[in-house]
Structure formats: structure tokens, C-alpha cells
Amino acid sequence: MTVASSAPREAFASRAGFILAAAGSAVGLGNMWRFPYQASEGGGAAFVLVYIGLTLVLGIPLMLAEFGIGRRGQLAPVGSLRKLAGPAWVPLGYLFVAVGLLILSYYSVIAGWTLRYGLEAVFLGFPADSAGHFAAVASGGDAVAFHVAFMALTVTIVIGGVKGGIERASLLLMPLLFLMVVGLALWAATLPGAGQGYLVYLMPEIDELLNPSVWRAAASQAFFSLSLGMGGMLTFASYLRRDQNLPESATVVAFTDFGVAFVAGLLVFPVIYSFALQDAVSASTVGALFIAVPSAFEAMGPLGRIIGLFFFVVLAVGALTSAISLLEVVTASVIDEFGLSRRRAALLTGAVITGLGVFPAFDIDALGLLDKIAGEFLLLAGGLALALLAGWRLRAAVSDELLAGASPRWQRQVPRILATLRFLVPPIVVAVLFFSLRETTAAVVAYFGR
Ligand code: PHE
């Protein structure tokens, strides 16, 4: 049942609005911590190089597969796939809905922590025992409460619609986020010992270039960070008219995402080395963000509260604009498929996700497991399906769509993009999926065997 034709489809009001909304989806918790951490683990500048290469070869072409299918279909994933590729592809659309539900359920719990830490910076200051504090608040009733609060914010924006909610929030929040990240990185450069931090972050270990696990980490980081493989970019593009230059937009979004991730590393590493927090960091990735960095703010006294407030506001803002896109995939599918009003659809899907999130909010291992399954494996699987669909079955339609609205300079890239989707993306993603499947299975076994 498709009722979308009964009312004109919502649309972005400006080209910049679409680009900032897509960049808002991409820039999030994945940039702020996951990227710097993986870079330092994966050979520093060597990882950064692999990551840039994979962004060009996998990221931009896949984003364009989503953009092309979405704008062509003018419906959320389920409807667009049915319309363009036939009923056999509808289950893929529902897989995307499920992945959106799953990722948002734990993403919102982490985002809830950032809200909490931001409020604490204002009202209480950072605690002296930051590891103990994190252990006490990361799981349990408090975590549920902040998760619910964050979901309420996300639902409110999505109820506002494409133009009045998503676009307006992105136009306001993204420039703010860019300013704050750059400001914080400049401040971090003044810390004693900053140089040591940069060195550890970016020290090139060339032999890591040949390490397959570095490639797997970089590929899955690219998928997660660029929000690919779950129909989020597809859904946003379904609100576009044909005058948007899609290849240019995808390139701008991908480089913005990379830029923020890179600058986040220039912020986090000087802090860690200036305050000698290496040990706290090596314990866990989550720990670094919510244990090591806050303990630096605590050590700095009153100034630390101000800097810390900015830091957690940046995290929360990045998380919010990403969460919007996760919820929008689910909400838009319910609107398109079942004809619910936007308000009802957002409240209903938001409530389901809030309920699901209670599990990861009570169990931090479940949170990690969900991230492996949905945030890594399922995104890769979804991306593979999208590459095959756009590169083979819908090649003519996608090519036509990417040409429309593109300047001649970008039009010349379109055949190259489609060839990449056909011949390069699938084998690379299959290889990465293989390694990811092994790791995910091991994580599942470990979780249930504990
Ligand atoms: N890209 C977001 C981040 O880096 C997370 C995300 C993944 C958002 C998948 C939407 C879809 O935090």
C-alpha cells in the first residue's frame, strides 16, 4: 500500500540544507572518538591514508548509489526499492528499517551520556573519580533516563518535518559544531605536551598498510561514519528535486565528515598526552571519551568546566543530527507504507526505539554487541546490496539520476562512479564482510558465553 501520492512529498528548501543535513547525519559520535582512536591503533597516518582511499573508492560511490536511488524513487527505502527494483527488493528496505531501529537504540544511550556530562559540567563539575563515576552512571536507571531525554529531542525534530525540523536544525547546529570543534582543537594545541599527542595520533607506521585488519577497520569506519548501508542517505535524497548536483554534494559531505574526524583527533590526543591519560585510554574506546577526557577537565579546575561543557555539547550536537537521520529512515517508511501522519509515525517509531534502548542502557556489553552486529556487519551487508543494485540492476536509472543536476565537470565522473560501483565496491566489501562476520560471530559467542 502506498499513499505517498495523496499529498505532495516534503522537500528540502535549499541545496545547502540538504548538504548540511547529510553532513549532520555523517558527523557524529563516530567522528569524535572512533576515528582518532582507530587511527592511533591502525598505524597513525597509514590508517588515515587507507581511510581516505576507501572514502574515495567505497564511500563516495556508495553515497551516490543511495542518493541516486532515493531521488529517483522519491520514497523511503521500502517504497523506493519496490518502485524501482520490484517487490523482491522490499525485504532489503525492511532490513534498513531494522538496522535504523537497532543502531539508534544504542546510539541514543551513548548520546544520553553526553547530555548528562554536559549538564554535570554546568551544575556539578567533573568528578575526581571519573572511572568510578562512569561505571556508576553508564548503565542502569540513570542511563535510561538520559536515553529517553535524548530520544525525546530527536523525535521532536523529526516531527517538525524535513524543512521545518531536519533542515532547520542542521542549518543551525552544523556551523556551530564546526566552530566548536576547531576552537577546541586550537585550545588543545596550546597544551604542554601536545606535540607528543600529535605524534602518537599520526606517526606513520608504514607496515600497517599491508595489515588486513587495518583495512577492515578503515572500511567499516567509513561505512559507519558516512552513514552508509542503511538507507539514511537514500531517505534524505528522496526529499530532493532534480536540480541538486549529487556527485558534488556527496564529495562535499564525505570531505566534511573526514575533516571533522581528523580535527577531532587533533583535539583528543593532545589532551590525553598532556594529562598523561594513556592508561585510562587503552582500557576501552568508550572509556577514553567518558573517563580519560573528563578527568583532564577535572584536573583543569574552573576552565575545565567550560571547555568540558563545549566538548560534550559538540558530542551531543553531532549525535543529535545523526540520530535524526536514523529515526527518519524508520519514520519515513512508516509514513510512506502505512499512511500515518508524520507526528504519529515519529511518536510510534520513537517509542519503539526508546523501548529497545532499555537493553543496552542496562547492559554495556549488549551495547557493544549491538554496535558490532548493526553498526558494522549489517551496514556492510546493506552497502553491498546497494552497490549491486545501483551498479547492475538499476544502472541506467541511477546513471540518469546522477547526471541530472550535475555540472558538466561532475557529469564526466558519472561513468567512473558507476564502474566503481559495479566492479570495485562489491569485491572489496565482500572481503571486508568476511572478516567482519568472523569478528561478529566471535562477539556473539563471547556475549552469550559470559
Ligand atoms: N555517521 C554517524 C556517526 O558517525 C552514525 C550513523 C550511522 C548515522 C549510520 C546514521 C546511519 O556518528
Side-chain angles (χ1 to χ4, degrees):
M1 169 177 50
T2 307
V3 281
S5 48
S6 55
R9 187 163 184 77
E10 295 181 76
F12 284 102
S14 66
R15 291 180 209 189
F18 167 73
I19 292 180
L20 284 182
S25 170
V27 172
L29 298 169
N31 303 57
M32 305 302 173
W33 181 247
R34 221 165 160 258
F35 178 84
Y37 177 80
Q38 300 215 353
S40 75
E41 291 273 278
F47 179 91
V48 175
L49 274 183
V50 173
Y51 184 80
I52 292 179
L54 289 178
T55 297
L56 293 175
V57 173
L58 299 178
I60 293 177
L62 267 169
M63 194 179 294
L64 284 169
E66 294 209 18
F67 282 179
I69 294 173
R71 192 174 67 179
R72 187 72 159 195
Q74 292 286 305
L75 289 169
V78 177
S80 279
L81 292 179
R82 180 193 297 112
K83 184 155 135 192
L84 302 177
W89 290 84
V90 165
L92 181 63
Y94 279 109
L95 174 72
F96 292 160
V97 172
V99 175
L101 282 167
L102 288 175
I103 295 185
L104 186 50
S105 76
Y106 70 84
Y107 199 83
S108 163
V109 174
I110 306 175
W113 300 338
T114 69
L115 286 185
R116 179 196 190 103
Y117 277 60
L119 285 177
E120 285 183 347
V122 177
F123 294 108
L124 301 168
F126 292 100
D129 174 16
S130 68
H133 181 65
F134 180 71
V137 304
S139 301
D142 281 33
V144 173
F146 281 94
H147 154 64
V148 172
F150 182 81
M151 281 304 300
L153 277 176
T154 309
V155 169
T156 306
I157 294 176
V158 168
I159 287 178
V162 174
K163 200 165 65 185
I166 298 173
E167 181 166 1
R168 193 139 55 108
S170 309
L171 286 169
L172 177 80
L173 295 176
M174 291 311 289
L176 196 74
L177 185 149
F178 298 143
L179 276 178
M180 285 191 292
V181 178
V182 172
L184 285 168
L186 290 176
W187 160 78
T190 65
L191 291 170
Q196 168 77 16
Y198 296 142
L199 217 62
V200 175
Y201 173 33
L202 293 172
M203 174 74 100
E205 292 167 35
I206 298 305
D207 35 323
E208 293 287 4
L209 284 177
L210 297 175
N211 180 349
S213 92
V214 166
W215 285 74
R216 182 202 56 79
S220 51
Q221 173 65 15
F223 271 71
F224 186 84
S225 190
L226 294 169
S227 309
L228 298 174
M230 52 79 67
M233 295 296 181
L234 190 162
T235 306
F236 277 2
S238 76
Y239 302 119
L240 281 179
R241 305 198 182 85
R242 290 192 99 195
D243 59 357
Q244 185 103 14
N245 185 338
L246 294 179
E248 183 186 59
S249 305
T251 309
V252 172
V253 171
F255 278 93
T256 305
D257 185 64
F258 171 75
V260 174
F262 188 77
V263 175
L266 298 180
L267 158 62
V268 174
F269 277 85
V271 173
I272 291 170
Y273 281 86
S274 177
F275 291 87
L277 301 167
Q278 298 83 305
D279 292 345
V281 173
S282 57
S284 79
T285 57
V286 181
L289 203 53
F290 293 95
I291 298 173
V293 177
S295 73
F297 296 142
E298 196 269 331
M300 283 166 62
L303 177 64
R305 278 173 76 167
I306 297 172
I307 303 264
L309 173 64
F310 278 113
F311 181 76
F312 284 104
V313 168
V314 166
L315 285 175
V317 165
L320 184 59
T321 52
S322 298
I324 293 170
S325 71
L326 287 160
L327 182 60
E328 180 63 20
V329 172
V330 185
T331 301
S333 303
V334 170
I335 297 174
D336 286 351
E337 293 302 305
F338 303 105
L340 260 61
S341 71
R342 173 169 279 277
R343 165 180 285 276
R344 285 207 178 157
L347 286 171
L348 177 75
T349 54
V352 171
I353 295 167
T354 307
L356 270 179
V358 170
F359 294 100
F362 268 104
D363 177 358
I364 204 165
D365 293 334
L367 191 158
L369 186 67
L370 276 171
D371 183 42
K372 269 259 164 262
I373 296 175
E376 183 173 319
F377 181 74
L378 291 177
L379 289 184
L380 288 164
L384 176 63
L386 280 169
L388 294 173
L389 190 60
W392 296 88
R393 202 188 143 93
L394 300 178
R395 177 158 65 119
V398 169
S399 161
D400 180 58
E401 202 57 50
L402 296 186
L403 291 170
S407 60
R409 191 160 70 92
W410 288 101
Q411 282 179 342
R412 279 196 292 279
Q413 301 298 325
V414 170
R416 207 168 294 164
I417 292 159
L418 279 153
T420 311
L421 279 173
R422 283 161 81 78
F423 302 113
L424 265 167
V425 175
I428 299 178
V429 179
V430 166
V432 177
L433 257 175
F434 170 76
F435 288 107
S436 168
L437 181 61
R438 279 207 322 204
E439 278 201 13
T440 307
T441 323
V444 172
V445 170
Y447 179 80
F448 287 103
R450 63 188 179 148

